[in-house]
CSV table of all heavy atoms in Angstrom, one decimal:
chain,number,residue,atom,x,y,z
P,380,ASN,N,7.7,-1.2,-19.8
P,380,ASN,CA,7.7,0.2,-20.3
P,380,ASN,C,8.2,1.1,-19.1
P,380,ASN,O,8.4,0.6,-18.0
P,380,ASN,CB,6.4,0.7,-20.9
P,380,ASN,CG,5.3,0.8,-19.9
P,380,ASN,OD1,5.5,0.9,-18.7
P,380,ASN,ND2,4.0,0.8,-20.4
P,381,PRO,N,8.3,2.4,-19.3
P,381,PRO,CA,8.8,3.2,-18.1
P,381,PRO,C,7.9,3.2,-16.9
P,381,PRO,O,8.4,3.6,-15.8
P,381,PRO,CB,8.9,4.6,-18.7
P,381,PRO,CG,9.2,4.3,-20.2
P,381,PRO,CD,8.3,3.2,-20.5
P,382,SER,N,6.7,2.8,-17.1
P,382,SER,CA,5.7,2.8,-16.0
P,382,SER,C,5.5,1.5,-15.2
P,382,SER,O,5.0,1.5,-14.1
P,382,SER,CB,4.4,3.4,-16.5
P,382,SER,OG,4.5,4.7,-17.0
P,383,ALA,N,5.7,0.4,-15.9
P,383,ALA,CA,5.3,-0.9,-15.3
P,383,ALA,C,6.1,-2.0,-15.9
P,383,ALA,O,6.6,-1.9,-17.0
P,383,ALA,CB,3.8,-1.1,-15.4
P,384,GLN,N,6.1,-3.2,-15.2
P,384,GLN,CA,6.7,-4.4,-15.7
P,384,GLN,C,5.9,-5.6,-15.3
P,384,GLN,O,5.3,-5.6,-14.2
P,384,GLN,CB,8.1,-4.5,-15.2
P,384,GLN,CG,8.2,-4.6,-13.7
P,384,GLN,CD,9.6,-4.9,-13.2
P,384,GLN,OE1,10.6,-5.0,-14.0
P,384,GLN,NE2,9.8,-5.1,-11.9
P,385,TYR,N,5.9,-6.7,-16.1
P,385,TYR,CA,5.2,-7.9,-15.9
P,385,TYR,C,6.0,-9.0,-16.5
P,385,TYR,O,6.8,-8.8,-17.4
P,385,TYR,CB,3.8,-7.9,-16.4
P,385,TYR,CG,3.0,-6.7,-16.0
P,385,TYR,CD1,3.0,-5.5,-16.7
P,385,TYR,CD2,2.2,-6.7,-14.8
P,385,TYR,CE1,2.3,-4.4,-16.3
P,385,TYR,CE2,1.5,-5.6,-14.4
P,385,TYR,CZ,1.5,-4.4,-15.1
P,385,TYR,OH,0.8,-3.3,-14.7
P,386,TRP,N,5.7,-10.3,-16.1
P,386,TRP,CA,6.3,-11.4,-16.7
P,386,TRP,C,5.5,-12.7,-16.4
P,386,TRP,O,4.7,-12.7,-15.5
P,386,TRP,CB,7.8,-11.6,-16.2
P,386,TRP,CG,7.9,-11.7,-14.7
P,386,TRP,CD1,7.7,-12.8,-14.0
P,386,TRP,CD2,8.2,-10.7,-13.8
P,386,TRP,NE1,7.8,-12.6,-12.6
P,386,TRP,CE2,8.2,-11.3,-12.5
P,386,TRP,CE3,8.6,-9.3,-14.0
P,386,TRP,CZ2,8.5,-10.5,-11.4
P,386,TRP,CZ3,8.9,-8.6,-12.8
P,386,TRP,CH2,8.8,-9.2,-11.5
P,387,GLY,N,5.8,-13.7,-17.2
P,387,GLY,CA,5.1,-15.0,-16.9
P,387,GLY,C,5.9,-16.1,-17.8
P,387,GLY,O,6.6,-15.8,-18.7
P,388,SER,N,5.6,-17.3,-17.4
P,388,SER,CA,6.3,-18.4,-18.1
P,388,SER,C,5.5,-18.8,-19.3
P,388,SER,O,4.3,-18.8,-19.4
P,388,SER,CB,6.4,-19.6,-17.1
P,388,SER,OG,7.2,-19.3,-16.0
P,389,ALA,N,6.3,-19.2,-20.4
P,389,ALA,CA,5.7,-19.8,-21.6
P,389,ALA,C,5.5,-21.3,-21.3
P,389,ALA,O,6.4,-21.9,-20.8
P,389,ALA,CB,6.6,-19.5,-22.8
P,390,ARG,N,4.4,-21.9,-21.7
P,390,ARG,CA,4.1,-23.3,-21.5
P,390,ARG,C,5.2,-24.1,-22.3
P,390,ARG,O,5.5,-23.8,-23.4
P,390,ARG,CB,2.7,-23.6,-22.0
P,390,ARG,CG,2.2,-25.0,-21.5
P,390,ARG,CD,0.7,-25.0,-21.6
P,390,ARG,NE,0.2,-24.8,-23.0
P,390,ARG,CZ,-1.1,-24.5,-23.2
P,390,ARG,NH1,-2.0,-24.4,-22.3
P,390,ARG,NH2,-1.5,-24.4,-24.5
P,391,SER,N,5.7,-25.1,-21.6
P,391,SER,CA,6.8,-25.9,-22.2
P,391,SER,C,6.4,-26.7,-23.4
P,391,SER,O,7.2,-26.9,-24.3
P,391,SER,CB,7.4,-26.8,-21.1
P,391,SER,OG,6.4,-27.8,-20.7
P,392,SER,N,5.1,-27.1,-23.5
P,392,SER,CA,4.7,-27.9,-24.6
P,392,SER,C,4.6,-27.1,-25.9
P,392,SER,O,4.9,-27.7,-27.0
P,392,SER,CB,3.3,-28.6,-24.3
P,392,SER,OG,2.4,-27.6,-24.0
P,393,ASP,N,4.1,-25.9,-25.9
P,393,ASP,CA,3.9,-25.1,-27.1
P,393,ASP,C,4.2,-23.7,-27.0
P,393,ASP,O,4.1,-22.9,-28.0
P,393,ASP,CB,2.4,-25.3,-27.5
P,393,ASP,CG,1.4,-24.8,-26.4
P,393,ASP,OD1,1.9,-24.3,-25.4
P,393,ASP,OD2,0.2,-25.1,-26.6
P,394,GLY,N,4.6,-23.2,-25.9
P,394,GLY,CA,5.0,-21.8,-25.7
P,394,GLY,C,3.8,-20.8,-25.5
P,394,GLY,O,4.0,-19.6,-25.5
P,395,PHE,N,2.7,-21.4,-25.2
P,395,PHE,CA,1.5,-20.5,-24.9
P,395,PHE,C,1.8,-19.7,-23.6
P,395,PHE,O,2.5,-20.2,-22.7
P,395,PHE,CB,0.3,-21.3,-24.6
P,395,PHE,CG,-0.9,-20.5,-24.0
P,395,PHE,CD1,-1.7,-19.8,-24.8
P,395,PHE,CD2,-1.1,-20.6,-22.7
P,395,PHE,CE1,-2.7,-19.0,-24.3
P,395,PHE,CE2,-2.1,-19.8,-22.1
P,395,PHE,CZ,-3.0,-19.1,-22.9
P,396,PHE,N,1.4,-18.4,-23.6
P,396,PHE,CA,1.6,-17.6,-22.4
P,396,PHE,C,0.4,-16.7,-22.3
P,396,PHE,O,-0.3,-16.3,-23.2
P,396,PHE,CB,2.9,-16.8,-22.5
P,396,PHE,CG,2.9,-15.8,-23.7
P,396,PHE,CD1,2.5,-14.5,-23.5
P,396,PHE,CD2,3.5,-16.2,-24.9
P,396,PHE,CE1,2.6,-13.6,-24.6
P,396,PHE,CE2,3.5,-15.3,-26.0
P,396,PHE,CZ,3.1,-14.0,-25.8
P,397,SER,N,0.2,-16.2,-21.0
P,397,SER,CA,-0.9,-15.3,-20.7
P,397,SER,C,-0.4,-14.4,-19.6
P,397,SER,O,0.0,-14.9,-18.5
P,397,SER,CB,-2.2,-16.1,-20.3
P,397,SER,OG,-3.2,-15.1,-19.9
P,398,LEU,N,-0.5,-13.1,-19.8
P,398,LEU,CA,-0.1,-12.1,-18.7
P,398,LEU,C,-1.3,-11.3,-18.5
P,398,LEU,O,-1.8,-10.5,-19.3
P,398,LEU,CB,1.1,-11.3,-19.2
P,398,LEU,CG,2.3,-12.0,-19.7
P,398,LEU,CD1,3.3,-11.0,-20.2
P,398,LEU,CD2,2.9,-12.8,-18.6
P,399,SER,N,-1.9,-11.4,-17.3
P,399,SER,CA,-3.1,-10.7,-16.9
P,399,SER,C,-2.8,-9.6,-15.9
P,399,SER,O,-1.7,-9.5,-15.3
P,399,SER,CB,-4.1,-11.6,-16.4
P,399,SER,OG,-3.7,-12.4,-15.3
P,400,GLY,N,-3.8,-8.8,-15.6
P,400,GLY,CA,-3.6,-7.7,-14.6
P,400,GLY,C,-2.7,-6.6,-15.0
P,400,GLY,O,-2.0,-6.0,-14.2
P,401,VAL,N,-2.6,-6.4,-16.3
P,401,VAL,CA,-1.6,-5.4,-16.9
P,401,VAL,C,-2.3,-4.0,-17.0
P,401,VAL,O,-3.4,-3.9,-17.5
P,401,VAL,CB,-1.1,-5.9,-18.3
P,401,VAL,CG1,-0.1,-4.9,-18.9
P,401,VAL,CG2,-0.5,-7.3,-18.2
P,402,LEU,N,-1.6,-3.0,-16.6
P,402,LEU,CA,-2.0,-1.7,-16.7
P,402,LEU,C,-2.1,-1.3,-18.2
P,402,LEU,O,-1.2,-1.7,-19.0
P,402,LEU,CB,-1.1,-0.7,-15.9
P,402,LEU,CG,-1.2,-0.8,-14.4
P,402,LEU,CD1,-0.1,0.1,-13.8
P,402,LEU,CD2,-2.5,-0.4,-13.9
P,403,PRO,N,-3.0,-0.5,-18.6
P,403,PRO,CA,-3.1,0.0,-20.0
P,403,PRO,C,-1.8,0.7,-20.4
P,403,PRO,O,-1.2,1.4,-19.6
P,403,PRO,CB,-4.3,0.9,-20.0
P,403,PRO,CG,-5.2,0.4,-18.9
P,403,PRO,CD,-4.2,0.0,-17.8
P,404,GLY,N,-1.4,0.5,-21.7
P,404,GLY,CA,-0.2,1.1,-22.2
P,404,GLY,C,0.4,0.3,-23.3
P,404,GLY,O,0.0,-0.8,-23.6
P,405,THR,N,1.5,0.9,-23.9
P,405,THR,CA,2.2,0.2,-24.9
P,405,THR,C,3.5,-0.3,-24.2
P,405,THR,O,4.2,0.4,-23.6
P,405,THR,CB,2.6,1.1,-26.0
P,405,THR,OG1,1.3,1.5,-26.7
P,405,THR,CG2,3.4,0.4,-27.1
P,406,TYR,N,3.8,-1.6,-24.5
P,406,TYR,CA,5.0,-2.2,-23.8
P,406,TYR,C,5.9,-2.9,-24.9
P,406,TYR,O,5.4,-3.3,-25.9
P,406,TYR,CB,4.5,-3.4,-22.9
P,406,TYR,CG,3.7,-2.9,-21.7
P,406,TYR,CD1,2.3,-2.6,-21.8
P,406,TYR,CD2,4.2,-2.7,-20.5
P,406,TYR,CE1,1.5,-2.2,-20.8
P,406,TYR,CE2,3.5,-2.3,-19.4
P,406,TYR,CZ,2.1,-2.0,-19.5
P,406,TYR,OH,1.4,-1.6,-18.5
P,407,THR,N,7.1,-3.0,-24.5
P,407,THR,CA,8.0,-3.9,-25.2
P,407,THR,C,7.9,-5.3,-24.6
P,407,THR,O,8.0,-5.6,-23.4
P,407,THR,CB,9.5,-3.5,-25.0
P,407,THR,OG1,9.7,-2.2,-25.6
P,407,THR,CG2,10.4,-4.5,-25.7
P,408,LEU,N,7.5,-6.3,-25.5
P,408,LEU,CA,7.4,-7.7,-25.1
P,408,LEU,C,8.7,-8.4,-25.5
P,408,LEU,O,9.2,-8.3,-26.6
P,408,LEU,CB,6.2,-8.3,-25.8
P,408,LEU,CG,5.9,-9.8,-25.5
P,408,LEU,CD1,4.4,-10.1,-25.6
P,408,LEU,CD2,6.7,-10.7,-26.4
P,409,THR,N,9.3,-9.1,-24.5
P,409,THR,CA,10.5,-9.8,-24.7
P,409,THR,C,10.4,-11.2,-24.4
P,409,THR,O,9.8,-11.6,-23.3
P,409,THR,CB,11.6,-9.1,-23.8
P,409,THR,OG1,11.8,-7.8,-24.1
P,409,THR,CG2,13.0,-9.8,-24.1
P,410,VAL,N,10.9,-12.1,-25.2
P,410,VAL,CA,10.9,-13.5,-25.0
P,410,VAL,C,12.3,-13.9,-24.6
P,410,VAL,O,13.3,-13.5,-25.3
P,410,VAL,CB,10.5,-14.3,-26.2
P,410,VAL,CG1,10.6,-15.8,-25.9
P,410,VAL,CG2,9.1,-14.0,-26.6
P,411,PHE,N,12.5,-14.5,-23.4
P,411,PHE,CA,13.8,-14.9,-22.9
P,411,PHE,C,13.9,-16.4,-23.0
P,411,PHE,O,13.1,-17.2,-22.5
P,411,PHE,CB,13.9,-14.5,-21.4
P,411,PHE,CG,13.8,-13.0,-21.2
P,411,PHE,CD1,12.6,-12.4,-20.9
P,411,PHE,CD2,15.0,-12.2,-21.2
P,411,PHE,CE1,12.5,-11.1,-20.6
P,411,PHE,CE2,14.9,-10.9,-21.0
P,411,PHE,CZ,13.7,-10.3,-20.7
P,412,LYS,N,15.1,-16.9,-23.5
P,412,LYS,CA,15.5,-18.3,-23.4
P,412,LYS,C,16.4,-18.3,-22.2
P,412,LYS,O,17.5,-17.7,-22.2
P,412,LYS,CB,16.3,-18.7,-24.7
P,412,LYS,CG,17.1,-20.0,-24.5
P,412,LYS,CD,18.1,-20.1,-25.6
P,412,LYS,CE,19.0,-21.2,-25.4
P,412,LYS,NZ,20.2,-21.3,-26.4
Side-chain angles (χ1 to χ4, degrees):
N380 66 19
S382 298
Q384 61 172 5
Y385 307 90
W386 57 80
S388 298
R390 195 160 60 194
S391 60
S392 60
D393 56 8
F395 168 82
F396 61 90
S397 178
L398 305 177
S399 58
V401 179
L402 291 171
T405 298
Y406 295 84
T407 296
L408 181 148
T409 303
V410 178
F411 298 92
K412 167 198 171 186

